[in-house]
Amino acid sequence: MALDLLPVVDSAPATCCTPRAEAAITAEDAVALARTLKALADPARLRLLSLIAAHEGGEACVCDLVGPIGLSQPTVSHHMKQLAEAGLVTREKRGVWAYFTIVPGAVSAVSDHLALHLGVATAGT
Amino acid sequence: MALDLLPVVDSAPATCCTPRAEAAITAEDAVALARTLKALADPARLRLLSLIAAHEGGEACVCDLVGPIGLSQPTVSHHMKQLAEAGLVTREKRGVWAYFTIVPGAVSAVSDHLALHLGVATAGT
DNA sequence: TCCTTGTATCGATGATTGTCGATGCCATGA
DNA sequence: TCATGGCATCGACAATCATCGATACAAGGA
C-alpha cells in the first residue's frame, strides 16, 4: 500500500520562476507526504537505506544489515517493512534470503514534492 | 539549537560518477538528518510550512495559520516551535505578532543530504 | 493603571512508535 | 522425514508525540 501516493510530481509543470510555492498543499497530500517522510525520519531507517545503497549491487539482505546497524533481527525486519510499505524499497525473496533494493526515484519524488509545496528550488538557487 | 547540524553538503566532493551512494551515512549524521526529517514528517507542520510559503510576503503570524489549519492556537504554536528548533523557520516578533518565515535552503539541504547518502540524483536521473 | 489581544508555556491524556525476546513460517540440505 | 538457518510476526514495554484547555506573559490602547 501507499505505493502510488507519491507520483513523481504530476502537477504544476506550469511556470518556472515563481518565487514562492505554487499553492498550499492539500490536507490529503500533506498526509501522504508526511507518511513517506515519517518512514525516512528515523536514524535506523536512514542508515538501513544508506547501507543498501552503498552495498554491492545496490541490494542487501537482512543478514547484511543486522551486524552493521547494531540492532536485533526482528527490529531490522520491522524497519524494512516500514520502508517497503512507504514504497522506498522493494523486497525480493531469492531462496532463503530476502533482498531489498531502493526504489529508484522514490526519494527524489519526496524532494520534488517538498520543493513544489514549500517553494524551494532543489538546489541552492 | 540544531541549526548547524545540516550544513549544505560539506562532504564528498570527490568523484562525480559513482552509480551509488558515496558512502554509508554515519550514525551521528543519521540522527541529525532524522531530527530534521521528523520535524517535516507531520501533516500539520507540512501544511503550516506550505501556508507560510504561499502567504503574502512569504511570512505569516500564528493568527494567520490557526484558522486555515483547523487546530487550536496552542497546538499551532507548539508546531511552530518544533519547526523553529529544526531550523526550518525563523521567528520575528513585531509588536504583538510573531511572524514566521521559511529559512531559505533549509529544505533543499535536507534533499541534498538524502540524495547524497541514498545515491539518488535530485531529479529523475 | 487597567483592559484587551496575540503568543507561549504548562499539565494532562490518548495515540503512536522503537525496541526486544519468543515464536512461527518456509526453503534448503542431510 | 527431520534438522538448520534466514526471515517475519506477535506480544509487551517504555518512550515519544500530537492535541487540548487553562493559564501566564507581553505589548498597545484607553
Side-chain angles (χ1 to χ4, degrees):
Chain A
M1 61 196 76
L3 281 174
D4 50 353
L5 290 177
L6 284 174
V8 186
V9 179
D10 51 349
S11 57
T15 58
C16 67
C17 311
T18 43
R20 290 290 165 182
E22 296 287 341
I25 193 173
T26 68
E28 300 141 9
D29 282 355
V31 169
L33 183 52
R35 181 153 31 212
T36 308
L37 282 169
K38 202 164 292 190
L40 285 171
D42 183 272
R45 288 194 286 271
L46 284 177
R47 294 183 64 199
L48 286 170
L49 285 174
S50 182
L51 283 171
I52 296 174
H55 204 263
E56 180 186 13
E59 64 179 12
C61 61
V62 175
C63 58
D64 292 327
L65 304 170
V66 169
I69 210 170
L71 293 175
S72 71
Q73 175 266 319
T75 301
V76 171
S77 195
H78 166 71
H79 283 309
M80 293 315 299
K81 184 178 182 180
Q82 305 271 111
L83 292 171
E85 283 179 346
L88 294 170
V89 302
T90 53
R91 195 181 89 114
E92 184 194 359
K93 189 129 188 178
R94 286 207 298 271
V96 188
W97 294 273
Y99 286 92
F100 291 91
T101 315
I102 293 186
V103 171
V107 175
S108 57
V110 173
S111 298
D112 291 343
H113 278 257
L114 284 176
L116 175 65
H117 291 294
L118 304 185
V120 178
T122 334
T125 318
Chain B
M1 61 196 73
L3 282 174
D4 50 353
L5 290 177
L6 284 175
V8 186
V9 179
D10 52 348
S11 57
T15 58
C16 68
C17 313
T18 43
R20 288 292 164 182
E22 296 287 341
I25 194 174
T26 68
E28 300 140 9
D29 283 354
V31 169
L33 183 53
R35 182 154 27 213
T36 308
L37 283 169
K38 201 162 291 189
L40 286 171
D42 183 272
R45 288 195 286 271
L46 284 176
R47 293 183 64 199
L48 286 171
L49 285 174
S50 182
L51 283 171
I52 295 174
H55 203 264
E56 180 186 15
E59 65 180 11
C61 63
V62 176
C63 58
D64 293 327
L65 304 170
V66 168
I69 209 169
L71 293 175
S72 70
Q73 176 267 320
T75 301
V76 171
S77 194
H78 165 71
H79 283 310
M80 294 315 299
K81 184 178 182 181
Q82 304 272 111
L83 292 172
E85 284 179 346
L88 294 170
V89 302
T90 54
R91 195 182 89 114
E92 183 196 358
K93 189 128 189 179
R94 286 205 299 269
V96 188
W97 294 272
Y99 286 92
F100 291 92
T101 316
I102 292 185
V103 171
V107 175
S108 56
V110 173
S111 298
D112 291 343
H113 278 258
L114 285 176
L116 175 65
H117 291 294
L118 303 185
V120 179
T122 333
T125 317

PDB file of all heavy atoms in Angstrom, chain B residues 38-70:
ATOM      1  N   LYS B  38      12.057  14.480  10.954  1.00  0.00           N
ATOM      2  CA  LYS B  38      10.944  14.274  11.868  1.00  0.00           C
ATOM      3  C   LYS B  38      10.131  15.562  12.036  1.00  0.00           C
ATOM      4  O   LYS B  38       8.919  15.518  12.212  1.00  0.00           O
ATOM      5  CB  LYS B  38      11.471  13.783  13.222  1.00  0.00           C
ATOM      6  CG  LYS B  38      10.448  13.079  14.066  1.00  0.00           C
ATOM      7  CD  LYS B  38      11.101  12.241  15.167  1.00  0.00           C
ATOM      8  CE  LYS B  38      11.838  11.047  14.577  1.00  0.00           C
ATOM      9  NZ  LYS B  38      12.301  10.093  15.599  1.00  0.00           N
ATOM     10  N   ALA B  39      10.822  16.682  11.948  1.00  0.00           N
ATOM     11  CA  ALA B  39      10.112  17.951  12.018  1.00  0.00           C
ATOM     12  C   ALA B  39       9.217  18.144  10.799  1.00  0.00           C
ATOM     13  O   ALA B  39       8.164  18.776  10.872  1.00  0.00           O
ATOM     14  CB  ALA B  39      11.099  19.108  12.135  1.00  0.00           C
ATOM     15  N   LEU B  40       9.633  17.582   9.670  1.00  0.00           N
ATOM     16  CA  LEU B  40       8.841  17.693   8.439  1.00  0.00           C
ATOM     17  C   LEU B  40       7.755  16.633   8.366  1.00  0.00           C
ATOM     18  O   LEU B  40       6.752  16.818   7.670  1.00  0.00           O
ATOM     19  CB  LEU B  40       9.745  17.557   7.216  1.00  0.00           C
ATOM     20  CG  LEU B  40      10.646  18.747   6.868  1.00  0.00           C
ATOM     21  CD1 LEU B  40      11.624  18.358   5.770  1.00  0.00           C
ATOM     22  CD2 LEU B  40       9.811  19.933   6.424  1.00  0.00           C
ATOM     23  N   ALA B  41       7.923  15.539   9.076  1.00  0.00           N
ATOM     24  CA  ALA B  41       7.074  14.366   8.889  1.00  0.00           C
ATOM     25  C   ALA B  41       5.787  14.455   9.697  1.00  0.00           C
ATOM     26  O   ALA B  41       5.476  13.564  10.480  1.00  0.00           O
ATOM     27  CB  ALA B  41       7.852  13.098   9.242  1.00  0.00           C
ATOM     28  N   ASP B  42       5.074  15.521   9.510  1.00  0.00           N
ATOM     29  CA  ASP B  42       3.776  15.673  10.174  1.00  0.00           C
ATOM     30  C   ASP B  42       2.863  16.481   9.265  1.00  0.00           C
ATOM     31  O   ASP B  42       3.263  17.549   8.777  1.00  0.00           O
ATOM     32  CB  ASP B  42       3.941  16.370  11.524  1.00  0.00           C
ATOM     33  CG  ASP B  42       2.618  16.474  12.273  1.00  0.00           C
ATOM     34  OD1 ASP B  42       1.912  17.475  12.052  1.00  0.00           O
ATOM     35  OD2 ASP B  42       2.305  15.564  13.047  1.00  0.00           O
ATOM     36  N   PRO B  43       1.673  15.996   9.008  1.00  0.00           N
ATOM     37  CA  PRO B  43       0.768  16.704   8.085  1.00  0.00           C
ATOM     38  C   PRO B  43       0.529  18.151   8.505  1.00  0.00           C
ATOM     39  O   PRO B  43       0.528  19.046   7.661  1.00  0.00           O
ATOM     40  CB  PRO B  43      -0.524  15.885   8.179  1.00  0.00           C
ATOM     41  CG  PRO B  43      -0.116  14.541   8.628  1.00  0.00           C
ATOM     42  CD  PRO B  43       1.068  14.753   9.527  1.00  0.00           C
ATOM     43  N   ALA B  44       0.348  18.374   9.791  1.00  0.00           N
ATOM     44  CA  ALA B  44       0.079  19.736  10.258  1.00  0.00           C
ATOM     45  C   ALA B  44       1.272  20.643   9.970  1.00  0.00           C
ATOM     46  O   ALA B  44       1.096  21.765   9.481  1.00  0.00           O
ATOM     47  CB  ALA B  44      -0.227  19.710  11.758  1.00  0.00           C
ATOM     48  N   ARG B  45       2.479  20.171  10.245  1.00  0.00           N
ATOM     49  CA  ARG B  45       3.651  21.021  10.019  1.00  0.00           C
ATOM     50  C   ARG B  45       3.913  21.235   8.537  1.00  0.00           C
ATOM     51  O   ARG B  45       4.334  22.332   8.120  1.00  0.00           O
ATOM     52  CB  ARG B  45       4.867  20.408  10.718  1.00  0.00           C
ATOM     53  CG  ARG B  45       4.796  20.546  12.230  1.00  0.00           C
ATOM     54  CD  ARG B  45       6.124  20.269  12.888  1.00  0.00           C
ATOM     55  NE  ARG B  45       6.473  18.851  12.907  1.00  0.00           N
ATOM     56  CZ  ARG B  45       6.120  18.015  13.895  1.00  0.00           C
ATOM     57  NH1 ARG B  45       5.434  18.467  14.924  1.00  0.00           N
ATOM     58  NH2 ARG B  45       6.467  16.748  13.853  1.00  0.00           N
ATOM     59  N   LEU B  46       3.659  20.217   7.710  1.00  0.00           N
ATOM     60  CA  LEU B  46       3.804  20.417   6.269  1.00  0.00           C
ATOM     61  C   LEU B  46       2.838  21.484   5.781  1.00  0.00           C
ATOM     62  O   LEU B  46       3.198  22.350   4.984  1.00  0.00           O
ATOM     63  CB  LEU B  46       3.554  19.092   5.532  1.00  0.00           C
ATOM     64  CG  LEU B  46       4.658  18.045   5.573  1.00  0.00           C
ATOM     65  CD1 LEU B  46       4.221  16.767   4.877  1.00  0.00           C
ATOM     66  CD2 LEU B  46       5.930  18.589   4.928  1.00  0.00           C
ATOM     67  N   ARG B  47       1.617  21.435   6.284  1.00  0.00           N
ATOM     68  CA  ARG B  47       0.631  22.428   5.848  1.00  0.00           C
ATOM     69  C   ARG B  47       1.005  23.802   6.377  1.00  0.00           C
ATOM     70  O   ARG B  47       0.811  24.815   5.678  1.00  0.00           O
ATOM     71  CB  ARG B  47      -0.760  22.023   6.327  1.00  0.00           C
ATOM     72  CG  ARG B  47      -1.279  20.754   5.664  1.00  0.00           C
ATOM     73  CD  ARG B  47      -2.696  20.448   6.114  1.00  0.00           C
ATOM     74  NE  ARG B  47      -3.635  21.470   5.694  1.00  0.00           N
ATOM     75  CZ  ARG B  47      -4.841  21.651   6.231  1.00  0.00           C
ATOM     76  NH1 ARG B  47      -5.222  20.869   7.210  1.00  0.00           N
ATOM     77  NH2 ARG B  47      -5.638  22.599   5.797  1.00  0.00           N
ATOM     78  N   LEU B  48       1.517  23.860   7.597  1.00  0.00           N
ATOM     79  CA  LEU B  48       1.929  25.156   8.131  1.00  0.00           C
ATOM     80  C   LEU B  48       3.033  25.764   7.271  1.00  0.00           C
ATOM     81  O   LEU B  48       2.980  26.944   6.907  1.00  0.00           O
ATOM     82  CB  LEU B  48       2.417  24.982   9.575  1.00  0.00           C
ATOM     83  CG  LEU B  48       1.329  24.742  10.621  1.00  0.00           C
ATOM     84  CD1 LEU B  48       1.929  24.359  11.961  1.00  0.00           C
ATOM     85  CD2 LEU B  48       0.451  25.983  10.766  1.00  0.00           C
ATOM     86  N   LEU B  49       4.029  24.959   6.944  1.00  0.00           N
ATOM     87  CA  LEU B  49       5.110  25.451   6.098  1.00  0.00           C
ATOM     88  C   LEU B  49       4.569  25.902   4.746  1.00  0.00           C
ATOM     89  O   LEU B  49       4.955  26.957   4.236  1.00  0.00           O
ATOM     90  CB  LEU B  49       6.153  24.348   5.893  1.00  0.00           C
ATOM     91  CG  LEU B  49       7.083  24.051   7.068  1.00  0.00           C
ATOM     92  CD1 LEU B  49       7.955  22.848   6.775  1.00  0.00           C
ATOM     93  CD2 LEU B  49       7.951  25.269   7.370  1.00  0.00           C
ATOM     94  N   SER B  50       3.670  25.101   4.192  1.00  0.00           N
ATOM     95  CA  SER B  50       3.114  25.436   2.888  1.00  0.00           C
ATOM     96  C   SER B  50       2.290  26.715   2.954  1.00  0.00           C
ATOM     97  O   SER B  50       2.331  27.545   2.038  1.00  0.00           O
ATOM     98  CB  SER B  50       2.252  24.274   2.396  1.00  0.00           C
ATOM     99  OG  SER B  50       1.727  24.540   1.117  1.00  0.00           O
ATOM    100  N   LEU B  51       1.558  26.887   4.040  1.00  0.00           N
ATOM    101  CA  LEU B  51       0.766  28.111   4.206  1.00  0.00           C
ATOM    102  C   LEU B  51       1.677  29.331   4.288  1.00  0.00           C
ATOM    103  O   LEU B  51       1.401  30.370   3.691  1.00  0.00           O
ATOM    104  CB  LEU B  51      -0.100  28.006   5.470  1.00  0.00           C
ATOM    105  CG  LEU B  51      -1.351  27.133   5.362  1.00  0.00           C
ATOM    106  CD1 LEU B  51      -1.996  26.931   6.734  1.00  0.00           C
ATOM    107  CD2 LEU B  51      -2.351  27.759   4.396  1.00  0.00           C
ATOM    108  N   ILE B  52       2.755  29.199   5.017  1.00  0.00           N
ATOM    109  CA  ILE B  52       3.696  30.321   5.123  1.00  0.00           C
ATOM    110  C   ILE B  52       4.300  30.631   3.764  1.00  0.00           C
ATOM    111  O   ILE B  52       4.392  31.790   3.354  1.00  0.00           O
ATOM    112  CB  ILE B  52       4.799  29.989   6.144  1.00  0.00           C
ATOM    113  CG1 ILE B  52       4.196  29.843   7.539  1.00  0.00           C
ATOM    114  CG2 ILE B  52       5.868  31.070   6.142  1.00  0.00           C
ATOM    115  CD1 ILE B  52       5.193  29.370   8.573  1.00  0.00           C
ATOM    116  N   ALA B  53       4.704  29.571   3.055  1.00  0.00           N
ATOM    117  CA  ALA B  53       5.333  29.773   1.750  1.00  0.00           C
ATOM    118  C   ALA B  53       4.369  30.433   0.776  1.00  0.00           C
ATOM    119  O   ALA B  53       4.774  31.254  -0.054  1.00  0.00           O
ATOM    120  CB  ALA B  53       5.819  28.429   1.194  1.00  0.00           C
ATOM    121  N   ALA B  54       3.096  30.077   0.876  1.00  0.00           N
ATOM    122  CA  ALA B  54       2.117  30.607  -0.069  1.00  0.00           C
ATOM    123  C   ALA B  54       1.557  31.954   0.390  1.00  0.00           C
ATOM    124  O   ALA B  54       0.870  32.633  -0.372  1.00  0.00           O
ATOM    125  CB  ALA B  54       0.972  29.606  -0.264  1.00  0.00           C
ATOM    126  N   HIS B  55       1.839  32.322   1.624  1.00  0.00           N
ATOM    127  CA  HIS B  55       1.270  33.548   2.163  1.00  0.00           C
ATOM    128  C   HIS B  55       1.965  34.771   1.582  1.00  0.00           C
ATOM    129  O   HIS B  55       3.122  34.703   1.158  1.00  0.00           O
ATOM    130  CB  HIS B  55       1.408  33.552   3.699  1.00  0.00           C
ATOM    131  CG  HIS B  55       0.413  34.433   4.381  1.00  0.00           C
ATOM    132  ND1 HIS B  55       0.690  35.720   4.762  1.00  0.00           N
ATOM    133  CD2 HIS B  55      -0.867  34.198   4.741  1.00  0.00           C
ATOM    134  CE1 HIS B  55      -0.384  36.245   5.340  1.00  0.00           C
ATOM    135  NE2 HIS B  55      -1.339  35.341   5.351  1.00  0.00           N
ATOM    136  N   GLU B  56       1.205  35.838   1.592  1.00  0.00           N
ATOM    137  CA  GLU B  56       1.716  37.093   1.055  1.00  0.00           C
ATOM    138  C   GLU B  56       2.996  37.523   1.756  1.00  0.00           C
ATOM    139  O   GLU B  56       3.046  37.603   2.990  1.00  0.00           O
ATOM    140  CB  GLU B  56       0.641  38.170   1.230  1.00  0.00           C
ATOM    141  CG  GLU B  56       1.024  39.543   0.716  1.00  0.00           C
ATOM    142  CD  GLU B  56      -0.066  40.554   1.083  1.00  0.00           C
ATOM    143  OE1 GLU B  56      -0.894  40.202   1.934  1.00  0.00           O
ATOM    144  OE2 GLU B  56      -0.070  41.649   0.537  1.00  0.00           O
ATOM    145  N   GLY B  57       4.034  37.762   0.995  1.00  0.00           N
ATOM    146  CA  GLY B  57       5.311  38.183   1.562  1.00  0.00           C
ATOM    147  C   GLY B  57       6.146  37.033   2.089  1.00  0.00           C
ATOM    148  O   GLY B  57       7.239  37.250   2.603  1.00  0.00           O
ATOM    149  N   GLY B  58       5.639  35.820   1.957  1.00  0.00           N
ATOM    150  CA  GLY B  58       6.397  34.672   2.436  1.00  0.00           C
ATOM    151  C   GLY B  58       6.494  34.584   3.938  1.00  0.00           C
ATOM    152  O   GLY B  58       7.317  33.854   4.472  1.00  0.00           O
ATOM    153  N   GLU B  59       5.661  35.303   4.607  1.00  0.00           N
ATOM    154  CA  GLU B  59       5.660  35.247   6.069  1.00  0.00           C
ATOM    155  C   GLU B  59       4.232  35.250   6.584  1.00  0.00           C
ATOM    156  O   GLU B  59       3.320  35.710   5.907  1.00  0.00           O
ATOM    157  CB  GLU B  59       6.439  36.409   6.669  1.00  0.00           C
ATOM    158  CG  GLU B  59       5.811  37.750   6.394  1.00  0.00           C
ATOM    159  CD  GLU B  59       6.604  38.902   7.015  1.00  0.00           C
ATOM    160  OE1 GLU B  59       7.732  38.657   7.467  1.00  0.00           O
ATOM    161  OE2 GLU B  59       6.068  40.018   7.045  1.00  0.00           O
ATOM    162  N   ALA B  60       4.056  34.726   7.785  1.00  0.00           N
ATOM    163  CA  ALA B  60       2.721  34.647   8.367  1.00  0.00           C
ATOM    164  C   ALA B  60       2.848  34.599   9.881  1.00  0.00           C
ATOM    165  O   ALA B  60       3.856  34.139  10.422  1.00  0.00           O
ATOM    166  CB  ALA B  60       1.987  33.409   7.855  1.00  0.00           C
ATOM    167  N   CYS B  61       1.824  35.103  10.559  1.00  0.00           N
ATOM    168  CA  CYS B  61       1.803  35.025  12.008  1.00  0.00           C
ATOM    169  C   CYS B  61       0.862  33.895  12.426  1.00  0.00           C
ATOM    170  O   CYS B  61       0.141  33.336  11.599  1.00  0.00           O
ATOM    171  CB  CYS B  61       1.361  36.343  12.625  1.00  0.00           C
ATOM    172  SG  CYS B  61      -0.309  36.822  12.191  1.00  0.00           S
ATOM    173  N   VAL B  62       0.900  33.560  13.683  1.00  0.00           N
ATOM    174  CA  VAL B  62       0.110  32.441  14.177  1.00  0.00           C
ATOM    175  C   VAL B  62      -1.365  32.637  13.878  1.00  0.00           C
ATOM    176  O   VAL B  62      -2.075  31.704  13.492  1.00  0.00           O
ATOM    177  CB  VAL B  62       0.341  32.260  15.690  1.00  0.00           C
ATOM    178  CG1 VAL B  62      -0.548  31.164  16.242  1.00  0.00           C
ATOM    179  CG2 VAL B  62       1.797  31.941  15.962  1.00  0.00           C
ATOM    180  N   CYS B  63      -1.824  33.887  14.003  1.00  0.00           N
ATOM    181  CA  CYS B  63      -3.249  34.139  13.789  1.00  0.00           C
ATOM    182  C   CYS B  63      -3.651  33.893  12.345  1.00  0.00           C
ATOM    183  O   CYS B  63      -4.814  33.614  12.058  1.00  0.00           O
ATOM    184  CB  CYS B  63      -3.587  35.571  14.199  1.00  0.00           C
ATOM    185  SG  CYS B  63      -2.646  36.822  13.304  1.00  0.00           S
ATOM    186  N   ASP B  64      -2.691  33.961  11.399  1.00  0.00           N
ATOM    187  CA  ASP B  64      -2.986  33.655  10.005  1.00  0.00           C
ATOM    188  C   ASP B  64      -3.123  32.154   9.775  1.00  0.00           C
ATOM    189  O   ASP B  64      -3.680  31.730   8.767  1.00  0.00           O
ATOM    190  CB  ASP B  64      -1.872  34.185   9.094  1.00  0.00           C
ATOM    191  CG  ASP B  64      -1.831  35.710   9.075  1.00  0.00           C
ATOM    192  OD1 ASP B  64      -2.909  36.323   9.182  1.00  0.00           O
ATOM    193  OD2 ASP B  64      -0.734  36.270   8.966  1.00  0.00           O
ATOM    194  N   LEU B  65      -2.576  31.373  10.693  1.00  0.00           N
ATOM    195  CA  LEU B  65      -2.476  29.930  10.457  1.00  0.00           C
ATOM    196  C   LEU B  65      -3.527  29.127  11.198  1.00  0.00           C
ATOM    197  O   LEU B  65      -3.953  28.071  10.732  1.00  0.00           O
ATOM    198  CB  LEU B  65      -1.074  29.438  10.889  1.00  0.00           C
ATOM    199  CG  LEU B  65       0.101  30.166  10.217  1.00  0.00           C
ATOM    200  CD1 LEU B  65       1.418  29.783  10.877  1.00  0.00           C
ATOM    201  CD2 LEU B  65       0.139  29.865   8.731  1.00  0.00           C
ATOM    202  N   VAL B  66      -3.954  29.621  12.350  1.00  0.00           N
ATOM    203  CA  VAL B  66      -4.887  28.862  13.188  1.00  0.00           C
ATOM    204  C   VAL B  66      -6.172  28.538  12.423  1.00  0.00           C
ATOM    205  O   VAL B  66      -6.641  27.391  12.440  1.00  0.00           O
ATOM    206  CB  VAL B  66      -5.201  29.639  14.478  1.00  0.00           C
ATOM    207  CG1 VAL B  66      -6.376  29.010  15.209  1.00  0.00           C
ATOM    208  CG2 VAL B  66      -3.972  29.662  15.382  1.00  0.00           C
ATOM    209  N   GLY B  67      -6.718  29.529  11.747  1.00  0.00           N
ATOM    210  CA  GLY B  67      -7.965  29.318  11.034  1.00  0.00           C
ATOM    211  C   GLY B  67      -7.848  28.284   9.929  1.00  0.00           C
ATOM    212  O   GLY B  67      -8.536  27.255   9.970  1.00  0.00           O
ATOM    213  N   PRO B  68      -6.987  28.522   8.933  1.00  0.00           N
ATOM    214  CA  PRO B  68      -6.910  27.603   7.792  1.00  0.00           C
ATOM    215  C   PRO B  68      -6.564  26.174   8.173  1.00  0.00           C
ATOM    216  O   PRO B  68      -7.015  25.236   7.526  1.00  0.00           O
ATOM    217  CB  PRO B  68      -5.788  28.219   6.938  1.00  0.00           C
ATOM    218  CG  PRO B  68      -5.776  29.652   7.306  1.00  0.00           C
ATOM    219  CD  PRO B  68      -6.156  29.717   8.751  1.00  0.00           C
ATOM    220  N   ILE B  69      -5.784  25.991   9.214  1.00  0.00           N
ATOM    221  CA  ILE B  69      -5.324  24.628   9.509  1.00  0.00           C
ATOM    222  C   ILE B  69      -6.276  23.894  10.435  1.00  0.00           C
ATOM    223  O   ILE B  69      -6.197  22.663  10.562  1.00  0.00           O
ATOM    224  CB  ILE B  69      -3.902  24.661  10.099  1.00  0.00           C
ATOM    225  CG1 ILE B  69      -3.188  23.368   9.737  1.00  0.00           C
ATOM    226  CG2 ILE B  69      -3.925  24.863  11.601  1.00  0.00           C
ATOM    227  CD1 ILE B  69      -1.728  23.396  10.024  1.00  0.00           C
ATOM    228  N   GLY B  70      -7.159  24.616  11.097  1.00  0.00           N
ATOM    229  CA  GLY B  70      -8.163  23.946  11.904  1.00  0.00           C
ATOM    230  C   GLY B  70      -7.641  23.321  13.180  1.00  0.00           C
ATOM    231  O   GLY B  70      -8.189  22.325  13.649  1.00  0.00           O
TER     232      GLY B  70
END
